[in-house]
Amino acid sequence: AEPTIDTVAEPTIPTVAEPTADTSAEPTKSPVVQPGTDALARIELSGLSPRMVTGSSAPVIQVAGRVVNVGDRPITKLAIRLQRDEAVSSDKAVEQAVQGKLDAPQVTRFQPLPGELAPGQSRSFQLSVLLRGGADLESLQIDEPGVYPLLVNLNGQPDFGGVARLASVTLLLPVLGVPPATPGGVPGPVLRRQPSPTPLTVVWPLAATPDRVPSGPGEPVTLRSDRADTDPLAAQIAPGGRLDGLLGALEQEVPPGSPLGAAVCVAVDPLLLETLSGMSRGYRVSYPGGVSEGTGAQNARNWLDRLRAAVQGRCVLPLPYADADLVALSRAGLTDLEALAINTGTRLTADLLGVQPLTGVSWPDDGLLDERTLADLAGLQIHALLLDPHGIATAAPATQGDTDVVGLVGGSSSNANTTSPLPGDRAQVGLLIDPLLTSSLANTANTADTAGPPAGPPTALPTGPPTGPLSAQDGLGTLVYRATSGRPILLAPPRRWQARGEEATALLHTARQLLKTGFVSPRELPALAGTRAAGPGTTVIYPPQASAGEISPQVTAEVQRDRDILRDLQVATVLDPAANLRPATLLDPLRLGLLRGVSTAWRDQPDQAALTTAEESSRLEGLRRSVRIVQPPGPYSLAASDSPLLITVSNSLPVGVQVSLSLSETAGLRAGAVGLQLVPARSTRQLVIPAKVSRAGQFSVDARLSTPGGTSLGEPSTLQLRSTAFGRVTVALTAGAGAVLTLLVARRIVRRIRRTREAG
């Protein structure tokens, strides 16, 4: 007897009347538009019922959607039909099905779509096909359970061409049990289970792109938008948004006390939590040309409250802050920022969700990392890593089906700054993510095998991965296929999974039903991470394609420069009792901001990484310029040879700053040292510089401010000096000249007196 399976409520799709024209003579395979030409049509599916077939399902498969003319010419003689291939029996067969590489020899009758379809127009369709039995071309002839690749095939005749296949969409249909061929008939066989349920672990990601603009202490959170009147993150957490749907799927399918709950661990980006917490208190949206008030404060509060309730008593895995690219940071030698990302992520997750997050476990982007990063993570007490099997030297234990845990070697510290090795003899282990499931869920398109890129106006033809209905159907089919293999399953959807709430719900619902019917059993991620791997260890492999998409060295070099400046400012700044602001409050957000520039969200988006890093650099430059030399309105006048220089320094920061002043060497001026000087917060201070002047006249001197560590502050200032003082040499010369003149005058007087006497 087949176990009872609760099915997701499916919309009723009316049956399409069979065409009156005799189409049975149509060829099994239609000509296909040749590659290299522009695509002419696209199929967009909107409904499939049932999503998973059981012995109690209706004996009919129903498909709904629409056909869109994306070309530049009218199309006539449109007809659409459903086909299937043999049930998948290997990973390769699943991969080919997900990629749309199907023969699908079992065909059904073409159903015509009447009329002409002009460029830019669309037409809805509905297919209703028997699962088994019936006459030739009326049924898919599914008599055995399994996971079947289906193909929705569109034929048509474009202007100036012949009848050809214009587009197709492939998807996987899991069949757990074969329903009766007719109402009241005898059900067919059911899918065979393994002797022991397949262990299942699910990592449920909640992350978003770090579209946040730097802001200072006390300033509201500011988010970036590409266009006015849009609020992207608010749209994701609003009802019907992506993040709302992912959280809603957890709430609906894995409520407190659910048997599936033990298998699910929620992976969260702490930056997302921090941003939503800030949004809940009011925020702004920056767009090209202006700034507006954010509209999602209430939704941010609601979403965070819902998440707190959903994760109580559940496994929570914190991602690195901003989901920073740990490999790029490690390659740049920024191990301190690696530690900052991991430690801050753990702290924020605990503080903002009120849970004790899972520590010692890391999920690298795409499950890939190199040996240097592995060593750095060992020093940060990371003992278990979620890895893609393609990122390790051998995946033999996993492919043999007995375990998905492998020992890792090479995780000893390779950096002098990493001084915390794993305790005792504990070795690092790799927890192998199921790559087949991840790729099938990443293939959110169920896209057509159209013969080229869509043509037509870009505004009418949205690009990028579709996120509509049925985007997770391949994932459902792959999960059922995997559940019957007996191989342990570690299911991890893509990090920023672009799936609607209905699709996320369908995936978890399928997992729950597989658990209920004994195909799978829950396995907790903390227990899996604590497993000791049997057999010899293996090394990690970092594929060249992963390196190509990594955050660029140019970005990490700029991050390193900014990191060094922040270190220096940290030493130079002090708490000012009048302002009562700790330097860390001012500088820590900037330090965390550096991680936003190296987020894995920007992999393969170098312009976004550079833009985000440049914004942080600009903010840091603003701090550096906030301490400066005040330019005097005119030249300094030095009345005496030992008159001091009076230089005014302004500090507009809310913390005190220790500064060092240096003057350029100038002939006729010798300045003394003043040592470090403290300039209070939001005030000015006049520095008295001892000086000796050895010449009169006007001349210039360059003055520079810096931190004790040498980081320049403000801009170099050129001071004009006017000296009316006489130096020692000048006085001596003047005195000598006066004495000579006196002697000459006296001599002349004496001579005149003598001449007068001689004349008398």
Side-chain angles (χ1 to χ4, degrees):
E2 181 189 3
T4 303
I5 297 181
D6 299 331
T7 57
V8 180
E10 301 282 356
T12 302
I13 303 177
T15 302
V16 178
E18 292 293 334
T20 56
D22 181 12
T23 58
S24 60
E26 295 176 3
T28 299
K29 292 187 178 181
S30 303
V32 180
V33 177
Q34 292 302 311
T37 61
D38 289 339
L40 299 177
R42 182 174 67 235
I43 300 173
E44 298 176 355
L45 299 183
S46 59
L48 173 68
S49 179
R51 299 287 294 269
M52 182 168 64
V53 179
T54 68
S56 58
S57 297
V60 174
I61 185 77
Q62 297 176 317
V63 182
R66 67 172 186 159
V67 175
V68 185
N69 184 338
V70 298
D72 58 358
R73 65 188 87 170
I75 303 174
T76 57
K77 297 184 179 179
L78 285 166
I80 195 164
R81 72 179 175 189
L82 197 60
Q83 304 174 211
R84 76 156 174 87
D85 216 323
E86 296 300 320
V88 295
S89 58
S90 66
D91 289 10
K92 183 177 180 180
V94 175
E95 290 175 0
Q96 291 179 332
V98 170
Q99 295 168 5
K101 300 175 181 178
L102 297 180
D103 290 330
Q106 184 63 45
V107 302
T108 60
R109 195 184 314 272
F110 270 114
Q111 299 188 13
L113 300 179
E116 178 183 271
L117 194 63
Q121 287 186 338
S122 64
R123 182 155 301 142
S124 298
F125 69 86
Q126 295 174 331
L127 293 174
S128 183
V129 178
L130 291 173
L131 286 165
R132 59 188 294 210
D136 191 27
L137 300 179
E138 291 182 351
S139 166
L140 291 174
Q141 302 298 339
I142 295 178
D143 298 316
E144 296 291 334
V147 178
Y148 288 88
L150 299 185
L151 183 142
V152 184
N153 180 18
L154 175 70
N155 270 19
Q157 182 175 3
D159 238 3
F160 314 114
V163 174
R165 178 192 289 183
L166 303 182
S168 65
V169 172
T170 61
L171 43 83
L172 294 176
L173 178 68
V175 179
L176 293 185
V178 179
T182 58
V186 178
V190 298
L191 197 62
R192 185 177 63 86
R193 293 193 295 266
Q194 292 291 325
S196 299
T198 300
L200 171 67
T201 306
V202 180
V203 179
W204 199 250
L206 297 174
T209 54
D211 291 322
R212 185 166 165 181
V213 178
S215 56
E219 297 177 355
V221 166
T222 302
L223 304 180
R224 184 190 302 107
S225 176
D226 294 334
R227 303 189 310 275
D229 302 322
T230 58
D231 196 340
L233 185 54
Q236 291 192 53
I237 59 174
R242 183 183 71 88
L243 289 171
D244 171 75
L246 290 174
L247 178 54
L250 271 179
E251 294 170 317
Q252 178 176 330
E253 296 297 330
V254 198
S258 167
L260 185 61
V264 177
C265 190
V266 182
V268 295
D269 180 0
L271 173 59
L272 173 62
L273 303 179
E274 183 188 51
T275 301
L276 292 177
S277 179
M279 287 173 61
S280 67
R281 298 186 292 272
Y283 68 103
R284 298 178 297 193
V285 178
S286 174
Y287 56 88
V291 178
S292 62
E293 292 298 319
T295 60
Q298 185 60 50
N299 284 334
R301 283 192 291 272
N302 293 343
W303 195 90
L304 275 178
D305 288 342
R306 291 168 54 200
L307 180 60
R308 291 187 186 103
V311 299
Q312 290 305 310
R314 179 167 292 161
C315 171
V316 177
L317 174 64
L319 299 175
Y321 183 88
D323 196 15
D325 191 334
L326 299 180
V327 176
L329 291 175
S330 179
R331 286 173 179 254
L334 297 170
T335 53
D336 58 320
L337 293 186
E338 288 182 80
L340 179 69
I342 291 173
N343 295 335
T344 302
T346 301
R347 176 181 57 80
L348 282 175
T349 302
D351 292 346
L352 294 175
L353 294 185
V355 298
Q356 182 59 48
L358 178 63
T359 58
V361 180
S362 181
W363 180 16
D365 184 59
D366 291 332
L368 302 171
L369 78 169
D370 61 5
E371 289 190 2
R372 175 169 179 160
T373 311
L374 179 66
D376 290 343
L377 293 177
L380 295 171
Q381 303 293 310
I382 301 299
H383 65 270
L385 299 106
L386 278 64
L387 300 179
D388 187 308
H390 298 102
I392 62 174
T394 173
T399 55
Q400 290 169 2
D402 51 4
T403 181
D404 55 353
V405 180
V406 296
L408 299 175
V409 296
S412 59
S413 176
S414 63
N415 190 291
N417 295 327
T418 306
T419 57
S420 302
L422 293 172
D425 61 348
R426 190 170 196 178
Q428 286 177 296
V429 295
L431 314 179
L432 302 186
I433 297 170
D434 193 309
L436 197 61
L437 273 165
T438 302
S439 62
S440 65
L441 292 171
N443 185 38
T444 56
N446 287 325
T447 48
D449 69 341
T450 47
T459 54
L461 301 174
T463 59
T467 59
L470 308 186
S471 63
Q473 185 63 33
D474 286 343
L476 270 61
T478 305
L479 180 58
V480 172
Y481 161 76
R482 189 63 87 206
T484 62
S485 68
R487 185 183 307 172
I489 304 170
L490 178 51
L491 168 59
R495 192 77 122 232
R496 280 163 284 274
W497 190 22
Q498 300 296 313
R500 289 185 177 180
E502 297 86 350
E503 296 307 290
T505 300
L507 179 64
L508 288 180
H509 182 85
T510 301
R512 185 164 65 87
Q513 296 310 306
L514 290 173
L515 176 63
K516 181 178 180 180
T517 53
F519 281 93
V520 299
S521 60
R523 180 183 53 170
E524 297 182 352
L525 182 60
L528 180 63
T531 304
R532 288 185 178 271
T538 184
T539 57
V540 294
I541 298 174
Y542 197 58
Q545 61 269 25
S547 180
E550 188 182 297
I551 301 300
S552 71
Q554 290 79 10
V555 169
T556 55
E558 185 172 352
V559 168
Q560 185 175 33
R561 287 192 296 270
D562 291 346
R563 187 276 311 266
D564 293 342
I565 292 174
L566 281 169
R567 278 180 170 178
D568 215 8
L569 288 176
Q570 185 76 50
V571 175
T573 51
V574 297
L575 173 67
D576 190 317
N580 196 28
L581 182 76
R582 295 186 304 109
T585 304
L586 176 68
L587 301 178
D588 283 355
L590 285 168
R591 192 173 287 106
L592 291 174
L594 299 180
L595 297 174
R596 293 198 290 268
V598 293
S599 171
T600 62
W602 308 139
R603 281 196 165 208
D604 299 318
Q605 298 186 61
D607 292 343
Q608 286 295 329
L611 171 63
T612 305
T613 301
E615 288 175 342
E616 297 295 335
S617 298
S618 177
R619 182 79 181 185
L620 183 57
E621 180 71 5
L623 289 188
R624 193 181 63 78
R625 292 175 180 272
S626 296
V627 184
R628 60 185 180 85
I629 296 173
V630 178
Q631 192 72 25
Y636 285 101
S637 293
L638 304 176
S641 62
D642 58 353
S643 296
L645 295 177
L646 303 179
I647 297 179
T648 302
V649 177
S650 172
N651 173 22
S652 58
L653 296 177
V655 294
V657 181
Q658 290 182 319
V659 300
S660 176
L661 179 68
S662 62
L663 300 177
S664 63
E665 294 184 1
T666 303
L669 175 68
R670 186 175 65 189
V674 295
L676 294 180
Q677 299 292 318
L678 177 63
V679 185
R682 297 193 179 100
S683 63
T684 60
R685 179 173 177 181
Q686 193 171 64
L687 305 184
V688 180
I689 314 298
K692 294 292 183 179
V693 180
S694 59
R695 65 186 174 97
Q698 184 166 324
F699 50 95
S700 62
V701 61
D702 292 332
R704 297 174 181 270
L705 274 182
S706 66
T707 65
T711 296
S712 62
L713 300 171
E715 289 296 329
S717 179
T718 301
L719 307 177
Q720 300 297 326
L721 305 181
R722 178 181 298 143
S723 174
T724 58
F726 292 103
R728 292 180 180 178
V729 175
T730 303
V731 171
L733 291 174
T734 302
V740 172
L741 180 61
T742 301
L743 290 174
L744 291 175
V745 170
R747 180 183 177 186
R748 186 170 184 176
I749 292 174
V750 170
R751 286 181 177 179
R752 184 176 295 178
I753 292 174
R754 286 178 179 175
R755 284 197 298 269
T756 301
R757 286 179 179 176
E758 291 174 356

